[in-house]
Amino acid sequence: MKLKILLLFIFAMALGVDASPTPLLLSANRDGTPQTITRVHPLDTVVLAEGGASVVEVRDGAGKIYFTAPLIDPRISFVAGGALGKHTVLIHDASGKEMTRLTFVLEAETSVDDGGKYRDMFNLFHAGLSADFAGGVEQTVWNGQTYHFFVNWVLDNYHTAKGMKYFSPYVTEFIDLMRHVQREDGMIWSNINPGAAADYYQTAYGPFGYVRKYGDRFFVRQPTENHPEYIYVSTIYQSWKAGVSDEWMQQNLPSAKRALDYSMNDPARWSRRFQLLKRVYTIDSWDFEVDDAYTPDIGLTNTMLIDPDKSKFGVFFGDNTHYAAACEELAEMLEHAGQFAEASRYLERAAGIRQRLDALSWNGRFFTHFIDEDPTVKRDLGVDEKSQIAQGNAYSLNRGIGQPHSAAIIATYLDLKQNLPPGSPGEWYAIYPPFPKGFTLHNKPWQYMNGGVGGHVAGELARGAFENGFEPYARDILDRLTDLGHRHGNKIWFAYTGSIPPAPPAPHYRPVDLAQVANMDIEDRGGPDAFPWMQMPKPGDDIRGLPVGPQQFAGIDFNVTDPAKNQRRTALAVSHRKGFPPSADVPVHEKAEAIYLLHTSTKPTSEKVCGSLAFVYADGTRAVQYLIMEKQLTFWWFPDLKTETSGIAWHGPSPVSKDVGLSWCAIDNPHPEKSIDTIHFQAPDDNGIYTVVGLTLSDRAHFIPPNPVSFGGPDDWAAATAMAAMIEGLVGVNDSPLSQGFAHPVLAPRWDLSEDRSIQATVRYAVSEGYVAYRYDHHMAAKEILVTVTGSGGTINCHFLLPPTVTAVKSVKVDGQAIASTISQTGASHYADFSLENNSPRTIRIRY
């Protein structure tokens, strides 16, 4: 990777010489000709030429001198670094008198570039941050003021900000909005509703106090959720760590304390028995409650409502690992604000929750998903609930649960990776195995929260693996997630289908003979007992090109009655028009898993219903299926239809149209265990004609290849957790404890050291001017890591991953001078640890 060279040409010999040209800040074009520039990026090399002065001095955006040298040679170069903003180049003569000064602007934006694999990964994750909104940001106007945010839900906004904080400054405004409308008892609303569903929420949640209008907007609390309060506090903390002012942080402290205290004071949120946060039984932090024998009938949407007296509650571990982390985050902010007694109170609370949760939920390998408060509750959800690993375990890796717990959870995921179900895209499940019962009304197994594979979970698992000595596994997760993104629309999706079994064997088709019930010709001729095709008045307006006899259309076997051999009778038509039967029965007398129709209809006059059919079973029962235009069939002129269960079977020209045809559709039998006596066809209520040309039975239900992409939450959330894992884990830039805005950053790059590597990375908090930039080179033959680093802050705490077999270093030098270092170990990984002062761009050389 070539360095960009900037040329700073100085033409003035002395201040006040009128004939001298104005000094210019220039960069070289590809052909070597100079080009005027004013903007520079960290670690760009700047060359000062045509000097004639004695000393050059360069000050950064904070006024700090980071380069000074005598101008002995015709040209002198320096590496741009330090604080962002206007940098000043001062030129002095031998006496120290200032001759002239030049300025340029140092700018930084988050980027990763190795010229290949990791640039591609970064670009994929970065593009995903704008998956749901242009630029990744949406806005609303409330009480005349505009607020920007990433998602209008507290939970989703927080997780999306994990990645967006490196690109967008809008990390505070949603907190400002939610602080203004915080309920009197400290409760935080789940979302701001745009108004489209306001009537529903008022009807469903209004009687329970979980919707309220403030000014001109409705705010909603999902009753089942017990996370908005601790998510709110973590969002304040995350924004403050990105470099938002202490003043903003401190104005949020009273609200943050009320929020966390609410969680312990509301009887619907706090378990007196376990002294932990509680909720009704949901999958992880989802907002749909289980639908089983213990779900009370309390309102319009039972599975989204709670009643402190009637609902069955229990402990979901993820609420408590994050609540404890939020207490610790609040304590750090309180200490920074000088409120030490209050900080101690929340630290003590966090420790108590962690201790009680471990005793209740930790099983030695991971946290048990849910534990009912009522010991008499015995649920039948079709799965061994104690065996299920929920996504909250991956998220908890980044909530301070400790290295032993983290290592055990990661080992569980590694084991799962080796034992995945067929067609699984990865081990990053919302919950595994899924629930066969209890949640299928809203979420079938292997989809979304019920056994879907979370793109958003992958990033959290990778970030936790980076921090806990599983760096190869973490890189492997990001590699597989990138590949998954490229295979499915160049995008990281929130959820993927959790298991895709192999396609079943091909079905056996049995076409039904319609000759005895047919009453319509496929041509305009007709006969004594056959209507002309669709009673069209214009000669030739028919489907006479349709092949007859045994045929295969769209891979389905049909038998099209030959009109020449059946008195022009090929199709069965039903209608309320004069002469037509309004209904008809086709004898079957056998079982079938599904039926296939070869059919069409006139255009419906109002509704799209073109008729109906009924499975009439031998026991006298029946099951009705409406036939809908553009769903099961289409008009026969210029036919166009493509769904998972229907399509165009045949098309071709007629004497009066360039394109006519018939559609096919599959209809699964609701009761395949029953023998079908007849298929009953019913005409539409209007004056339309419904016509079936072929009917085929199948011994298998219609197979729809599962979509590898599932559905659910915002996709930018998934890209954000992946980006956070890449920036904080792989690139390895983060804040030290008690540091904000990269005032004292940690530099812990975790690149694969099994090959030579050259990477340049810049990480910036967009809300502030805090950044770190480095150029990283690994030379295997020389057994050395060479890094040039700069940034906006002070001391940089370095934590450099060593190759897998290396447990010690020969030397660590900074700008050619040996410095002291120590070796630390996390899991099986060894790191070289040292610190350096960031008073100028520094060059680090580690030899092992």
Side-chain angles (χ1 to χ4, degrees):
M1 187 166 52
K2 295 181 179 179
L3 302 181
K4 183 167 72 174
I5 304 296
L6 305 178
L7 303 180
L8 184 56
F9 285 94
I10 301 179
F11 297 99
M13 297 302 293
L15 290 177
V17 180
D18 296 336
S20 301
T22 303
L24 298 175
L25 190 61
L26 303 171
S27 68
N29 288 315
R30 292 189 178 182
D31 62 1
T33 60
Q35 170 189 333
T36 302
I37 63 120
T38 58
R39 301 186 185 280
V40 177
H41 296 98
L43 301 184
D44 283 345
T45 297
V46 181
V47 178
L48 194 64
E50 307 290 339
S54 178
V55 177
V56 61
E57 175 184 290
V58 185
R59 296 176 180 267
D60 68 10
K64 183 175 67 176
I65 298 173
Y66 69 94
F67 178 82
T68 183
L71 274 173
I72 300 173
D73 298 323
R75 294 189 177 188
I76 189 168
S77 65
F78 63 91
V79 176
L84 300 180
K86 186 172 74 172
H87 284 219
T88 305
V89 181
L90 299 171
I91 311 299
H92 300 277
D93 63 16
S95 67
K97 180 181 177 182
E98 181 180 321
M99 296 173 58
T100 191
R101 63 176 58 196
L102 301 172
T103 62
F104 61 89
V105 176
L106 187 70
E107 293 184 336
E109 59 183 24
T110 301
S111 62
V112 178
D113 191 359
D114 67 338
K117 170 182 174 178
Y118 289 114
R119 179 175 62 187
D120 172 70
M121 178 184 289
F122 174 84
N123 289 341
L124 179 69
F125 296 166
H126 187 203
L129 294 173
S130 301
D132 295 290
F133 302 99
V137 178
E138 61 175 314
Q139 64 183 48
T140 192
V141 177
W142 178 71
N143 284 0
Q145 183 171 343
T146 300
Y147 292 86
H148 299 84
F149 43 83
F150 309 125
V151 190
N152 67 317
W153 289 69
V154 170
L155 176 70
D156 307 41
N157 185 75
Y158 164 71
H159 288 299
T160 304
K162 289 177 178 178
M164 284 297 292
K165 66 187 178 183
Y166 298 113
F167 305 94
S168 173
Y170 298 118
V171 296
T172 62
E173 293 181 18
F174 200 50
I175 288 295
D176 293 336
L177 175 57
M178 286 300 178
R179 185 182 68 249
H180 287 313
V181 298
Q182 184 176 20
R183 207 169 69 175
E184 296 81 2
D185 59 357
M187 190 195 80
I188 300 297
W189 303 98
S190 299
N191 65 67
I192 177 173
N193 187 264
D199 291 342
Y200 164 77
Y201 283 120
Q202 288 183 87
T203 302
Y205 295 176
F208 301 88
Y210 290 120
V211 62
R212 184 182 294 181
K213 188 175 185 181
Y214 293 87
D216 53 0
R217 287 287 185 275
F218 285 91
F219 291 78
V220 177
R221 174 62 176 256
Q222 289 296 94
T224 55
E225 292 182 349
N226 198 4
H227 53 251
E229 287 73 34
Y230 60 73
I231 292 292
Y232 174 76
V233 173
S234 286
T235 307
I236 297 170
Y237 178 79
Q238 180 172 256
S239 302
W240 174 60
K241 293 290 280 188
V244 178
S245 70
D246 288 348
E247 290 75 17
W248 180 84
M249 177 271 286
Q250 291 179 29
Q251 75 173 344
N252 285 292
L253 291 179
S255 173
K257 290 189 289 183
R258 289 200 309 274
L260 291 187
D261 291 349
Y262 161 82
S263 301
M264 296 181 65
N265 295 329
D266 189 325
R269 311 297 177 196
W270 184 254
S271 170
R272 294 182 62 186
R273 178 188 176 195
F274 293 127
Q275 292 294 291
L276 294 166
L277 271 68
K278 71 178 184 181
R279 65 164 63 205
V280 291
Y281 202 134
T282 65
I283 301 177
D284 204 86
S285 58
W286 199 30
D287 51 5
F288 283 89
E289 182 186 358
V290 68
D291 186 10
D292 68 357
Y294 299 99
T295 306
D297 183 7
I298 54 177
L300 182 64
T301 53
N302 289 336
T303 56
M304 300 187 81
L305 289 172
I306 59 173
D307 184 308
D309 299 319
K310 297 179 180 179
S311 297
K312 293 294 185 181
F313 292 88
V315 170
F316 161 55
F317 73 91
D319 282 332
N320 290 277
T321 59
H322 199 154
Y323 183 87
C327 286
E328 291 160 352
E329 291 166 349
L330 177 57
E332 182 180 331
M333 292 187 286
L334 288 167
E335 284 186 354
H336 191 84
Q339 301 181 37
F340 301 107
E342 284 289 272
S344 296
R345 183 165 70 92
Y346 287 98
L347 286 174
E348 183 179 349
R349 183 183 298 182
I353 284 178
R354 292 193 186 280
Q355 183 179 24
R356 293 189 293 272
L357 180 67
D358 276 2
L360 179 68
S361 181
W362 181 251
N363 66 16
R365 297 176 60 235
F366 54 86
F367 290 102
T368 303
H369 174 227
F370 189 88
I371 298 172
D372 276 291
E373 271 192 311
D374 185 347
T376 67
V377 171
K378 306 296 179 184
R379 300 185 188 272
D380 178 18
L381 301 178
V383 66
D384 178 7
E385 298 165 60
K386 292 183 179 179
S387 73
Q388 292 177 299
I389 181 166
Q391 67 182 32
N393 281 279
Y395 277 81
S396 294
L397 297 174
N398 305 301
R399 297 173 182 168
I401 60 173
Q403 209 277 332
H405 279 16
S406 296
I409 290 171
I410 295 167
T412 300
Y413 277 104
L414 281 166
D415 180 68
L416 178 56
K417 180 189 174 187
Q418 302 303 316
N419 297 279
L420 293 173
S424 170
E427 66 276 14
W428 327 301
Y429 283 91
I431 196 163
Y432 181 87
F435 292 93
K437 303 178 184 178
F439 294 96
T440 55
L441 176 65
H442 302 288
N443 210 178
K444 293 180 179 180
W446 304 119
Q447 298 298 326
Y448 185 29
M449 291 297 295
N450 192 13
V453 169
H456 65 105
V457 182
E460 288 292 310
L461 181 57
R463 186 156 62 101
F466 275 125
E467 291 289 344
N468 286 281
F470 293 83
E471 298 87 356
Y473 178 46
R475 291 191 295 267
D476 169 65
I477 292 171
L478 294 185
D479 287 347
R480 286 184 287 136
L481 186 64
T482 300
D483 177 67
L484 200 61
H486 285 315
R487 285 192 282 119
H488 300 296
N490 289 315
K491 175 179 176 179
I492 306 301
W493 296 86
F494 186 85
Y496 299 85
T497 298
S499 178
I500 300 179
H508 174 71
Y509 296 116
R510 190 183 78 77
V512 176
D513 187 359
L514 299 181
Q516 297 304 309
V517 295
N519 60 4
M520 179 177 280
D521 195 353
I522 57 172
E523 296 186 31
D524 60 0
R525 297 165 58 183
D529 296 313
F531 298 101
W533 175 250
M534 303 301 276
Q535 283 195 325
M536 301 306 294
K538 190 173 184 178
D541 197 356
D542 52 37
I543 58 168
R544 65 183 64 190
L546 176 69
V548 299
Q551 300 292 330
Q552 191 173 81
F553 299 124
I556 307 159
D557 293 339
F558 289 101
N559 183 42
V560 179
T561 304
D562 186 345
K565 297 178 180 180
N566 197 43
Q567 300 178 338
R568 312 306 307 171
R569 295 182 297 128
T570 296
L572 170 61
V574 292
S575 176
H576 289 290
R577 294 186 187 184
K578 184 178 180 179
F580 281 83
S583 63
D585 293 293
V586 177
V588 175
H589 305 304
E590 64 178 282
K591 294 181 179 180
E593 291 282 337
I595 65 171
Y596 290 86
L597 301 174
L598 180 67
H599 59 168
T600 190
S601 167
T602 56
K603 290 185 177 180
T605 57
S606 55
E607 300 295 328
K608 290 188 175 183
V609 178
C610 299
S612 66
L613 65 80
F615 293 88
V616 181
Y617 301 105
D619 64 2
T621 60
R622 61 172 54 204
V624 176
Q625 170 71 57
Y626 287 99
L627 300 170
I628 309 298
M629 181 66 72
E630 300 174 2
K631 184 176 181 182
Q632 280 93 12
L633 72 164
T634 186
F635 184 55
W636 57 283
W637 263 55
F638 298 100
D640 183 21
L641 180 67
K642 186 177 182 180
T643 75
E644 292 180 329
T645 57
S646 61
I648 301 304
W650 169 86
H651 69 105
S654 76
V656 300
S657 174
K658 292 184 178 181
D659 194 22
V660 296
L662 299 173
S663 53
W664 67 269
C665 83
I667 300 175
D668 285 340
N669 181 4
H671 298 287
E673 74 283 0
K674 296 183 179 183
S675 178
I676 303 170
D677 189 25
T678 63
I679 300 294
H680 177 80
F681 290 97
Q682 182 69 42
D685 290 338
D686 60 15
N687 211 31
I689 303 173
Y690 170 74
T691 303
V692 58
V693 181
L695 169 64
T696 294
L697 309 181
S698 171
D699 66 346
R700 295 188 183 279
H702 179 66
F703 175 68
I704 302 173
N707 187 344
V709 174
S710 188
F711 58 92
D715 300 311
D716 50 7
W717 172 348
T721 59
M723 181 61 80
M726 185 177 195
I727 294 298
E728 298 166 25
L730 183 59
V731 176
V733 175
N734 218 324
D735 263 300
S736 298
L738 307 181
S739 166
Q740 303 87 40
F742 295 138
H744 300 288
V746 172
L747 180 59
R750 300 181 178 92
W751 304 105
D752 180 5
L753 297 177
S754 64
E755 59 185 71
D756 286 351
R757 189 171 303 284
S758 181
I759 294 175
Q760 186 154 327
T762 300
V763 179
R764 179 184 174 180
Y765 289 133
V767 73
S768 68
E769 296 194 339
Y771 83 97
V772 173
Y774 69 74
R775 187 165 52 246
Y776 181 104
D777 293 282
H778 176 234
H779 304 291
M780 290 189 68
K783 294 186 177 182
E784 73 172 15
I785 298 169
L786 184 64
V787 178
T788 301
V789 61
T790 188
S792 57
T795 303
I796 300 176
N797 298 304
C798 296
H799 184 61
F800 274 72
L801 178 67
L802 301 175
T805 60
V806 175
T807 60
V809 296
K810 293 179 179 179
S811 66
V812 175
K813 292 184 178 181
V814 176
D815 297 335
Q817 299 296 314
I819 65 167
S821 65
T822 59
I823 299 296
S824 63
Q825 184 173 352
T826 304
S829 303
H830 290 82
Y831 287 80
D833 296 337
F834 53 94
S835 62
L836 56 87
E837 291 305 313
N838 181 35
N839 47 24
S840 64
R842 312 299 298 272
T843 298
I844 304 164
R845 188 184 301 270
I846 301 172
R847 287 183 172 166
Y848 56 85

